[in-house]
């Protein structure tokens, strides 16, 4: 097969890879770009509409974000909405809705009141809801099945309408790639069924070997292969001081629509992953999806190639004294230990549903076991990065910029919300490396201002 050369190759056809393909094609003078994806379609893993919570995490109701993190994600989240409106995807795969962060019990109520005062400066549309307000706007979170009000103190902050809250990120991924291909005077190609096995830097260019024997070369490469990015980085000798902890997230679906909008819980600052929430699922007729759970899973992906994924995960986790120290420190905390134990039990047949319902009743007090079912085939894996030098579990995204023309990105939540913002960061880096132009004015006009 003849070798094909591109100025840039993006590895991985999830939403991170597709967003980068789009920005490189639309806002730069780079002429030839390829996206290489191992499966038969784009967004078949974590970016699939049923794999994640479909939330635009802009930071207003995510009580696990600090004010600074909220400021940063808001900018990126706004880009999603601007992209959707620009191309007319609103009310198609990008929807408006009601959403709120809810506090239960006196301590949480006090913390939420304080948070509201601070966060309304960043999100002026935020409203504060008393228990009486909530009876009207989200009655299931107040009344039990006998119609009695819950006795605990409950308040919330949120918005009832006028804000885009929800995206089918799988549909958005495909739209980004389609729009990239439509850019005039550009050679934009998408290779499917092409698993990248090895990337080698020879002379001034990168040579990419795929399982189906494609022969591709590029001047610059960005690896957006989700949980597999670090696996590929290790193969090239990069990121050796990092490992991956795969945290699987599963969901339970209700048989009918229970909630009118998204209901998020107050986050315990000690817990490493976002608290359980309830979301109307736009791919399941608005029925409520509760979750996600957070289960450590020795696989880089779910629902495909079990053995291969297990072996790749073990290699990427890089078990050793540094990783064990991180796990030991985490489990030494009683609250985290109890949390992890519960999460593991949520996956054990027979008892899983009983236990899950007990937790979800903090949101909907009347919830019964026969109202929910395990959402088979839903959910995905959050590739959390283990920083072995500093012995910590990193909770956000991580990126290895080698400054040598290749970048590797690991993107746990809120990676889908951040895709256009992360693509902007990498587009600038690629342009600088290749000496190419970035049309900042067009980018700002379309996605920022
Ligand atoms: C349970 C759960 C809930 C979440 N909820 C939200 C949410 O509500 N909002 C939000 O913003 N984010 C959410 N996230 C996070 C979000 O889903 C991810 O951050 C995002 O989808 C990551 O996109 P990605 O393109 O980086 O990775 P992925 O979607 O995993 O895509 C990686 C791609 O790379 C391909 N690939 C892998 N290896 C190779 C190889 N060797 N060669 C070629 N291709 C390869 C894969 O096949 C895949 O298509 C959630 C995640 C989970 C698991």
């Amino acid at each position: 097969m003849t070798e094909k050369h591109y100025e840039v190759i993006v590895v991985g056809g999830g939403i991170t890879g597709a967003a980068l393909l789009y920005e490189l094609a639309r806002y730069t003078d780079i002429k030839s770009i390829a996206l290489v994806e191992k499966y038969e379609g784009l967004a078949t893993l974590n970016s699939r509409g049923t794999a994640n919570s479909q939330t635009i995490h802009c930071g207003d109701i995510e009580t696990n974000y600090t004010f600074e993190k909220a400021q940063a994600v808001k900018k990126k989240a706004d880009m999603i909405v601007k992209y959707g409106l620009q191309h007319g995807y609103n009310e198609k795969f990008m929807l408006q809705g009601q959403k709120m962060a809810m506090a239960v019990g006196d301590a949480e109520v006090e913390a939420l009141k304080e948070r509201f005062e601070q966060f309304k400066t960043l999100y002026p549309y935020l409203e504060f809801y008393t228990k009486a307000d909530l009876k009207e706007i989200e009655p299931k979170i107040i009344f039990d099945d006998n119609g009695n009000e819950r006795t605990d103190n409950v308040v919330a902050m949120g918005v009832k309408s006028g804000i885009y809250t929800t995206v089918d990120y799988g549909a958005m991924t495909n739209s980004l790639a389609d729009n990239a291909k439509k850019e005039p005077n550009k050679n934009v190609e998408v290779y499917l069924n092409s698993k990248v096995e090895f990337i080698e830097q020879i002379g001034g260019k990168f040579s990419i070997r795929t399982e189906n024997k494609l022969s591709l070369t590029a001047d610059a490469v960005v690896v957006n292969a989700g949980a597999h990015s670090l696996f590929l980085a290790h193969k090239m000798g990069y990121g050796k001081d990092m490992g991956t902890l795969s945290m699987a997230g599963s969901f339970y679906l209700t048989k009918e629509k229970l909630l009118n909008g998204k209901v998020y819980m107050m986050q315990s600052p000690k817990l490493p992953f976002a608290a359980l929430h309830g979301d109307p699922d736009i791919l399941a007729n608005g029925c409520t999806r509760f979750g996600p759970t957070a289960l450590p899973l020795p696989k880089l992906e779910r629902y495909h190639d079990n053995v291969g994924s297990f072996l790749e995960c073990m290699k990427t986790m890089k078990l050793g004294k540094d990783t064990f120290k991180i796990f030991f420190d985490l489990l030494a905390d009683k609250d985290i230990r109890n949390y992890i134990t519960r999460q593991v039990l949520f996956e054990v047949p027979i008892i899983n549903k009983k236990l899950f319902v007990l937790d979800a009743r903090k949101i909907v007090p009347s919830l019964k076991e026969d109202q929910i079912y395990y959402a088979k085939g839903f959910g995905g894996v959050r590739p959390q990065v283990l920083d072995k030098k500093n012995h910590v579990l990193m909770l956000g995204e991580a990126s290895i910029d080698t400054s040598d023309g290749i970048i590797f990105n690991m993107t746990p939540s809120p990676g889908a919300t951040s895709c256009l913002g992360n693509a902007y960061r990498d587009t600038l880096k690629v342009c600088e490396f290749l000496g190419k132009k970035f049309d900042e004015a067009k980018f700002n006009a379309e996605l920022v201002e």
Side-chain angles (χ1 to χ4, degrees):
M1 181 184 262
T2 50
E3 186 180 278
K4 283 194 95 173
H5 183 77
Y6 296 89
E7 285 167 277
V8 186
I9 289 182
V10 181
V11 177
I15 198 157
T16 313
L20 181 61
L21 185 76
Y22 174 75
E23 289 190 22
L24 290 170
R26 189 163 177 88
Y27 302 113
T28 76
D29 59 351
I30 294 170
K31 292 273 180 237
S32 61
I33 318 149
L35 179 73
V36 186
E37 163 55 43
K38 72 173 171 176
Y39 286 126
E40 66 290 349
L42 301 180
T44 65
L45 297 185
N46 298 307
S47 305
R48 193 168 32 98
T50 50
N52 51 64
S53 303
Q54 308 167 343
T55 303
I56 302 179
H57 285 303
C58 70
D60 51 2
I61 59 162
E62 289 78 5
T63 57
N64 51 328
Y65 294 179
T66 60
F67 191 75
E68 291 68 34
K69 176 156 180 178
Q71 273 176 317
V73 293
K74 183 179 181 303
K75 275 193 198 151
K76 296 177 178 180
D78 287 348
M79 291 180 189
I80 297 282
V81 177
K82 291 204 161 67
Y83 169 81
L85 293 174
Q86 181 193 349
H87 293 281
Y89 301 133
N90 41 314
E91 322 322 327
K92 291 182 182 140
F93 63 71
M94 182 176 85
L95 304 182
Q96 299 189 21
Q98 176 175 297
K99 61 174 170 176
M100 65 179 69
M102 165 202 194
V104 179
D106 295 343
E108 283 190 10
V109 166
E110 282 316 304
L112 190 76
K113 279 182 183 162
E114 235 176 78
R115 195 174 173 92
F116 174 69
E117 291 306 319
Q118 188 188 18
F119 276 66
K120 72 181 181 190
T121 58
L122 191 55
Y123 308 93
Y125 55 79
L126 274 179
E127 297 170 322
F128 192 81
Y129 305 127
T130 62
K131 203 173 192 179
D133 299 326
L134 293 170
K135 280 188 212 171
E136 300 293 320
I137 58 180
E138 201 62 277
K140 290 278 184 205
I141 67 175
I142 299 297
F143 295 108
D144 67 17
D145 46 346
N146 298 319
N148 297 323
E149 258 183 47
R150 64 196 298 168
T151 51
D152 30 21
N153 197 359
V154 178
V155 297
M157 68 176 187
V159 58
K160 290 197 278 291
S161 62
I163 298 290
Y164 287 95
T165 57
T166 309
V167 171
D168 172 352
Y169 288 115
M172 180 169 163
T173 305
N174 282 290
S175 79
L176 286 161
D178 289 345
N179 289 329
K181 285 194 237 165
K182 283 183 202 150
E183 283 301 312
N185 307 317
K186 298 280 168 117
N187 174 24
V188 176
E189 286 187 66
V190 174
Y191 294 93
L192 299 176
N193 297 307
S194 304
K195 180 178 181 181
V196 171
E197 300 224 293
F198 206 78
I199 307 168
E200 216 174 349
Q201 196 170 11
I202 307 168
K205 64 181 184 179
F206 293 90
S207 164
I208 294 197
R209 243 191 288 143
T210 66
E211 204 174 48
N212 60 345
K213 310 266 181 279
L214 289 178
S215 179
L216 306 174
T217 58
D219 299 322
V221 173
V222 182
V223 181
N224 282 329
H228 295 83
S229 293
L230 192 57
F231 177 71
L232 289 168
H234 285 170
K235 278 191 173 183
M236 288 186 76
Y238 294 114
K240 292 281 187 185
D241 53 354
M242 293 177 179
T244 295
L245 175 65
S246 287
M247 294 300 295
S250 299
F251 295 94
Y252 283 81
L253 264 169
T254 56
K255 294 173 187 167
E256 57 190 58
K257 196 176 146 191
L258 283 189
L259 296 174
N260 294 325
K262 290 179 177 287
V263 179
Y264 280 55
M265 309 280 285
M266 284 295 278
Q267 178 78 12
S268 155
K270 270 192 169 182
L271 295 183
F273 299 101
L276 186 79
H277 44 88
D279 304 83
D281 187 330
I282 54 171
L283 298 173
N285 296 324
C287 289
T288 306
R289 182 128 69 86
F290 286 107
T293 58
L295 175 77
L297 193 76
K299 285 170 73 179
L300 292 184
E301 63 187 73
R302 298 172 84 185
Y303 315 122
H304 295 271
D305 182 20
N306 287 330
V307 178
S309 185
F310 169 74
L311 296 173
E312 287 175 348
C313 184
M314 292 325 267
K315 281 188 192 156
T316 316
M317 201 178 337
K318 292 207 159 294
L319 283 176
K321 71 174 181 5
D322 293 320
T323 18
F324 284 125
K325 173 152 175 43
I326 300 173
F327 296 153
F328 182 80
D329 288 350
L330 280 175
L331 293 175
D333 186 299
K334 189 168 146 261
D335 291 338
I336 296 183
R337 208 167 49 239
N338 289 345
Y339 170 80
I340 300 278
T341 309
R342 265 187 109 66
Q343 300 296 318
V344 171
L345 294 175
F346 285 157
E347 300 286 334
V348 177
I350 302 175
I351 56 166
N352 53 358
K353 218 159 102 169
K354 283 189 184 7
L355 286 173
F356 188 85
V357 166
L358 289 180
D359 265 23
R361 275 193 195 143
K362 191 169 173 192
I363 303 179
V364 176
S366 62
L367 192 69
K368 291 201 197 61
E369 252 185 83
D370 61 7
Q371 284 181 297
I372 63 165
Y373 62 97
Y374 182 80
K376 222 172 154 193
F378 282 52
V381 155
R382 286 157 286 194
Q384 307 296 154
V385 173
L386 301 165
D387 174 351
K388 297 199 293 175
K389 225 185 324 182
N390 299 305
H391 298 116
V392 287
L393 172 70
M394 290 169 67
L395 290 181
E397 301 155 0
S399 182
I400 305 170
D401 178 9
T402 65
S403 308
D404 218 7
I406 184 161
I407 299 170
F408 301 86
N409 292 314
M410 284 71 77
T411 41
S413 193
T417 303
S418 308
C419 68
L420 290 165
N422 291 343
Y424 168 67
R425 175 199 65 204
D426 291 345
T427 299
L428 290 184
K429 285 181 182 168
V430 168
C431 284
E432 194 188 340
F433 182 77
L434 297 178
K436 293 285 175 177
K437 286 198 196 89
F438 176 70
D439 191 341
E440 188 98 38
K442 185 174 175 186
F443 178 83
N444 283 338
E446 292 185 355
L447 294 183
V448 183
E449 279 146 18

